[in-house]
């Protein structure tokens, strides 16, 4: 009896093992699902269909053989494939699409170095909480770890950089994996998702069959087993591949504050005498429309500082919007509402609040919500939820609320005084070249309502943040808390494609321009007219401002007054040089155009910028305006433009911190 029991147990164990092996080999799945070996279809078509079903209009890429089926399939169904000169640019462009449109931006890169070149851009999206999908090519699953071309362990590489890092194992898994990836990128705290697509799930059956090889007449038991395994692997790869599947987006889960929590905030706000609102990029995330959020802010009537993507949420002329004296305002406020704003280095880790102030924080991310609250600050209320939804609900719960007038008037007076001081500084000519404040104030006066600003730089962009006013919601794109240089070309590309009616300006430092200058080739080839304004001060000035006085040397911080405008022109764009005295330190004098093809508008501006010797500040400013207007005219004719503005020394950002 005992022997029978043992035998039954052994048979059961063997049966279980065989079932597990059969499941792993796909034998059970193939009992119910067919393999169509004659089909010319390929996995790239499934990828394209999912992208279209999720509203994707653009796929940014640098091509490679591992991902060619995806690119071709997207082109066939009307998704615009935009190839760039560097993989990071492709990811930055997808990032910009997500920020401007509110949809997941998508980039595709080839295996190995294509994937690793995208790492910094993916990390930037993670830090900025931008929903992004990166599709990465990869070696065939069977060839991984066997010395295949450009084969590295890519999925582990992205685990700490993304909300999810996935690999597709069979053609039938493409659709469900991508649908889940889109939902993961958008829900909760948005962020990037990486999906690895091995080459054998993208190409047609007959191509993969040929590449797998194997002897047609295998010899010996080992050869026959290998041949059987390869044939079985191929069949499992394509089993059920073309069966109909649901393509449309999955439902999303977004945290929201409860009505009771909204009421608690309303009670604190109604008792405050000096309330202050800080709105961060997270408040611009879907599902709340930017226009609805803007109306809520205006209805609440709270003085507010707008940061990151929230810049431009209020019109430039709105008295509630502040950008100067933030440190002093935080010190004096008795209630501070942090709507998606984080107490990291940008708020001195929470050390700026006045003693006794009530701090109310709302954020989708628990870690960001309580950042440094165990050290430098304590929230009166910490709400895990969507900031925009809370602000809209708060405005509805306080229909008769108005901010105490003395407080608002005090902040406005301090704001206007600081603006007067800045205008006075802008009127002081530097010993050579242009005053950056004057240049940026001139730009601010010229920006049309339908404009969009991309910020990519250090010292020049830092000055612009206090000078140039975005004209609309989502009208300012900067890298975010990671502080990445090199976002400009990709951000401008994605933004202009999403908003073709907008006049897109990229504010470059001359250092950061080095990462994006070749993308003028991309702008020209894809007919994307943007305007790059380069603050060329011949150095990494934000670094040297500290390095020189603290350590006695500016080593590594020096650049040259290079002819960047000529590079843009050589790539097919339009180039202008802008200087106060027509002296660039080289042989280009006051020429304004690095070959514009004889365009008269460009040439006439060049004459006006040249030989101005000892002209007044007013004359210099008029010439600046003339060049900027000429750049706008060239852009409206369909040409990408680079204005190379030579800057002199300025103490406006003296004491700024770069670490």
């Amino acid at each position: 009896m005992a022997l029978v029991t043992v035998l039954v147990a052994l048979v059961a164990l063997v049966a279980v093992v065989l079932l597990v092996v059969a499941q792993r080999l796909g034998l059970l799945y193939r009992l119910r699902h067919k393999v169509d070996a004659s089909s010319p279809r390929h996995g790239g078509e499934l990828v394209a269909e999912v992208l279209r079903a999720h509203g994707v209009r653009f796929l940014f890429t640098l091509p490679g053989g591992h991902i060619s089926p995806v690119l071709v399939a997207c082109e066939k169904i009307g998704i615009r494939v935009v190839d760039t000169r560097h993989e990071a640019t492709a990811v930055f462009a997808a990032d910009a699409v997500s920020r401007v449109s509110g949809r997941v931006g998508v980039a595709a890169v080839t295996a190995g170095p294509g994937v690793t070149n995208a790492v910094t851009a993916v990390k930037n999206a993670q830090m900025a909480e931008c929903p992004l999908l990166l599709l990465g090519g990869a070696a065939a699953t069977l060839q991984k770890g066997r010395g295949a071309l450009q084969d590295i362990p890519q999925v582990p590489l992205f685990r700490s950089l993304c909300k999810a890092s996935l690999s597709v194992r069979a053609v039938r898994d493409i659709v469900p994996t991508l649908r889940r990836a889109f939902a993961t990128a958008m829900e909760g705290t948005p962020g990037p998702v990486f999906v690895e697509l091995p080459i054998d799930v993208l190409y047609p059956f007959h191509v993969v069959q040929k590449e797998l090889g194997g002897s047609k007449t295998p010899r010996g038991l080992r050869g026959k087993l290998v041949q059987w395994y390869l044939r079985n692997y191929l069949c499992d790869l394509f089993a059920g591949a073309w069966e109909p599947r649901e393509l449309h987006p999955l439902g999303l889960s977004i945290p929201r504050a409860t009505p009771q929590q909204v009421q608690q905030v309303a009670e604190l706000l109604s008792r405050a005498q000096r309330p202050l609102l800080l709105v961060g990029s997270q408040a611009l995330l879907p599902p709340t429309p930017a226009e609805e959020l803007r109306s809520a802010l205006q209805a609440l009537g709270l003085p507010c500082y707008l940061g990151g993507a929230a810049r431009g949420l209020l019109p430039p002329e709105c008295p509630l919007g502040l950008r100067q004296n933030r440190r002093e305002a935080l010190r004096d406020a008795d209630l501070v509402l942090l709507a998606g704003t984080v107490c990291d280095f940008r708020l001195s880790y929470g050390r700026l609040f006045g003693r006794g102030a009530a701090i109310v924080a709302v954020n989708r991310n628990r870690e960001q919500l309580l950042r440094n609250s165990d050290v430098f600050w304590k929230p009166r209320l910490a709400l895990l939820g969507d900031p925009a939804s809370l602000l809209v609900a708060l405005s509805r719960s306080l229909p008769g609320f108005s901010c105490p007038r003395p407080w608002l008037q005090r902040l406005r007076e301090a704001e206007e005084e600081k603006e007067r001081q800045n205008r006075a500084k802008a009127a002081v000519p530097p010993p050579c070249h242009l005053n950056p404040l004057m240049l940026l104030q001139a730009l601010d006066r010229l920006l049309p309502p339908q404009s969009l600003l991309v910020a990519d730089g250090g010292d020049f962009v830092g000055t612009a943040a206090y000078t140039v006013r975005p004209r609309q919601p989502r009208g300012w794109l900067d890298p975010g808390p990671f502080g990445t240089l090199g976002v400009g070309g990709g951000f401008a590309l994605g933004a202009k494609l999403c908003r073709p009616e907008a006049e897109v300006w990229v504010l470059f430092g001359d250092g950061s321009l080095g990462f994006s200058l070749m993308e003028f080739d991309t702008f020209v080839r894809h007919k994307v007219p943007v305007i790059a304004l380069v603050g060329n001060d011949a150095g990494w000035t934000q670094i040297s401002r500290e390095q020189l006085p603290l350590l006695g040397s500016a080593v590594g911080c020096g650049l040259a007054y290079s002819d960047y405008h000529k590079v843009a022109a050589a790539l097919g764009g339009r180039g202008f040089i802008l200087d106060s005295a027509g002296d660039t330190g080289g042989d280009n004098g006051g020429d304004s155009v690095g070959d514009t093809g004889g365009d008269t508008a460009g040439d006439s501006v060049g004459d006006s910028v040249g030989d101005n010797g000892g002209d007044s500040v007013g004359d210099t400013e008029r010439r600046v305006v003339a060049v900027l207007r000429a750049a706008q005219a060239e852009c409206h004719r369909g040409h990408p433009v680079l204005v190379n503005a030579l800057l002199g020394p300025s103490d406006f950002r003296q004491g700024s911190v770069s670490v």
Side-chain angles (χ1 to χ4, degrees):
M1 189 67 181
L3 181 60
V4 172
T5 303
V6 171
L7 289 174
V8 169
L10 285 174
V11 170
L13 179 61
V14 170
V16 170
V17 170
L18 289 175
L19 282 173
V20 170
V21 171
Q23 177 68 27
R24 292 293 300 272
L25 292 174
L27 299 175
L28 298 182
Y29 184 85
R30 294 210 306 279
L31 291 175
R32 295 174 289 114
H33 302 274
K34 295 181 178 180
V35 178
D36 186 356
S38 63
S39 174
R41 298 192 64 187
H42 55 78
E45 296 173 357
L46 297 179
V47 175
E49 289 170 5
V50 177
L51 299 190
R52 181 172 61 180
H54 286 74
V56 175
R57 296 166 54 209
F58 309 103
L59 177 65
F60 300 96
T61 189
L62 196 154
H66 290 87
I67 57 171
S68 292
V70 174
L71 308 186
V72 172
C74 285
E75 180 192 38
K76 284 184 177 179
I77 66 171
I79 296 174
R80 185 171 175 182
V81 178
V82 183
D83 58 301
T84 64
R85 300 303 299 266
H86 195 284
E87 288 88 354
T89 300
V91 179
F92 287 137
D95 185 336
V97 166
S98 74
R99 301 188 194 206
V100 173
S101 71
R103 295 179 177 270
V104 176
V106 185
V109 296
T110 197
V115 166
T116 57
N117 277 347
V119 165
T120 297
V122 170
K123 181 63 181 180
N124 192 79
Q126 181 194 46
M127 296 282 286
E129 299 178 349
C130 290
L132 178 78
L133 175 59
L134 177 63
L135 305 176
T141 304
L142 271 182
Q143 296 174 338
K144 289 185 176 182
R146 297 179 180 274
L149 174 67
Q150 298 177 331
D151 176 36
I152 62 169
Q154 297 174 160
V155 171
L157 178 67
F158 282 95
R159 282 190 182 131
S160 66
L161 306 177
C162 295
K163 293 182 70 178
S165 183
L166 312 167
S167 184
V168 175
R169 301 298 296 256
V171 179
R172 62 181 174 270
D173 296 330
I174 289 175
V175 171
T177 300
L178 290 180
R179 291 180 74 211
R180 185 67 253 167
F182 272 100
T184 301
M186 284 293 290
E187 67 184 0
T189 305
V193 173
F194 174 68
V195 175
E196 180 184 75
L197 296 167
I199 194 170
D200 50 357
V201 304
L202 292 181
Y203 278 84
F205 184 96
H206 69 276
V207 174
V208 179
Q209 183 181 41
K210 181 180 178 181
E211 290 299 317
L212 281 178
S215 174
K216 293 183 179 179
T217 56
R219 296 181 180 179
L221 178 61
R222 180 176 179 179
K224 291 179 180 179
L225 285 174
V226 169
Q227 186 66 15
W228 177 87
Y229 180 80
L230 291 176
R231 186 166 57 250
N232 181 77
Y233 171 81
L234 180 64
C235 290
D236 183 54
L237 201 63
F238 284 88
W242 317 122
E243 295 174 4
R245 288 181 174 81
E246 180 60 56
L247 298 173
H248 290 90
L250 298 170
L252 301 179
S253 173
I254 297 174
R256 299 176 189 268
T258 66
Q260 294 77 15
Q261 291 172 326
V262 173
Q263 184 59 34
Q264 287 179 295
V265 179
E267 291 172 2
L268 286 172
L269 185 57
S270 62
R271 295 195 297 266
Q273 294 300 305
R274 299 182 303 280
L276 193 65
L277 173 61
L278 272 64
V279 183
S281 297
Q282 198 182 90
L284 270 292
L285 293 172
T288 303
E291 294 72 20
E292 185 178 355
L293 178 57
R294 170 186 279 188
S295 298
L297 295 185
Q298 292 173 326
L300 283 170
L302 295 176
C304 56
Y305 288 91
L306 307 174
R311 293 174 184 264
L313 188 56
L314 293 173
E317 66 277 4
C318 180
L320 302 175
L322 305 171
R323 55 180 179 172
Q324 314 287 353
N325 308 306
R326 188 178 71 166
R327 181 180 291 267
E328 292 77 9
L330 285 169
R331 180 195 61 207
D332 296 338
D334 63 356
L335 181 141
V336 179
L337 175 53
L338 303 176
T341 302
V342 182
C343 286
D344 55 16
F345 69 94
R346 292 166 291 182
L347 283 181
S348 191
Y349 308 97
R351 291 178 290 195
L352 300 181
F353 306 123
R355 182 170 297 179
I359 313 301
V360 177
V362 56
N363 200 291
R364 293 188 182 193
N365 184 300
R366 180 175 297 278
E367 185 178 342
Q368 298 285 53
L369 175 67
L370 300 174
R371 179 78 69 188
N372 295 308
S373 63
D374 58 337
V375 182
F376 296 117
W377 67 290
K378 290 291 181 186
R380 183 74 59 89
L381 285 175
L383 311 179
L384 185 65
D386 176 52
S389 301
L390 174 95
L391 291 172
V392 170
L394 192 60
S395 70
R396 292 171 180 167
S397 69
L398 292 170
F401 175 80
S402 63
C403 178
R405 186 169 295 276
W407 169 241
L408 184 56
Q409 184 175 351
R410 172 180 161 188
L411 293 176
R412 285 307 315 169
E413 289 174 353
E415 180 87 2
E416 290 162 7
E417 174 59 28
K418 188 71 171 182
E419 296 284 2
R420 282 193 291 270
Q421 294 175 12
N422 289 345
R423 286 193 294 271
K425 289 183 178 181
V428 177
C432 61
H433 306 307
L434 296 169
N435 184 323
L437 269 175
M438 181 273 292
L439 170 65
L440 290 165
Q441 287 180 2
L443 171 63
D444 185 60
R445 291 192 292 273
L446 290 178
L447 288 177
Q450 290 294 323
S451 59
L452 192 149
L453 297 162
V454 173
D456 184 12
D459 207 64
F460 185 59
V461 166
T463 302
Y466 290 96
T467 310
V468 184
R469 298 166 297 174
R471 300 305 200 254
Q472 57 183 325
R474 298 193 177 97
W476 173 279
L477 302 181
D478 64 29
F482 201 36
T484 307
L485 291 180
V487 302
F491 276 16
L493 179 64
K496 182 63 176 178
L497 288 172
C498 278
R499 288 190 185 168
E501 78 288 351
E503 187 176 279
V504 175
W505 286 79
V506 197
L507 306 179
F508 281 113
D510 52 335
S512 62
L513 177 66
F515 295 91
S516 291
L517 188 51
M518 275 305 296
E519 298 303 340
F520 263 80
D521 169 75
T522 305
F523 299 147
V524 171
R525 286 185 296 107
H526 290 282
K527 297 179 173 57
V528 180
V530 300
I531 309 173
L533 178 60
V534 183
N536 184 355
D537 56 7
W540 300 93
T541 304
Q542 179 155 306
I543 308 305
S544 63
R545 280 192 190 280
E546 298 172 24
Q547 183 175 309
L548 183 59
L550 286 175
L551 301 173
S553 171
V555 62
C557 299
L559 296 172
Y561 284 110
S562 299
D563 291 340
Y564 301 119
H565 56 293
K566 293 184 178 180
V567 179
L571 293 170
R574 299 293 186 263
F576 295 86
I577 191 166
L578 183 53
D579 192 8
S580 63
D583 179 10
T584 64
D587 193 25
N588 55 357
D591 295 339
S592 73
V593 182
D595 193 3
T596 64
D599 187 272
T600 55
D603 290 336
S604 65
V605 171
D607 295 336
S608 73
V609 175
D611 250 9
N612 55 11
D615 287 346
S616 67
V617 172
D619 291 337
T620 300
E621 187 170 352
R622 279 190 290 273
R623 280 188 287 273
V624 167
V625 170
V627 171
L628 297 181
R629 286 194 185 281
Q632 288 176 312
E634 287 293 327
C635 180
H636 296 163
R637 293 187 186 105
H639 303 296
V641 183
L642 187 148
V643 179
N644 186 13
L646 308 188
L647 304 182
S650 168
D651 64 355
F652 178 71
R653 283 177 48 76
Q654 199 67 41
S656 63
V657 178
S658 62
V659 293

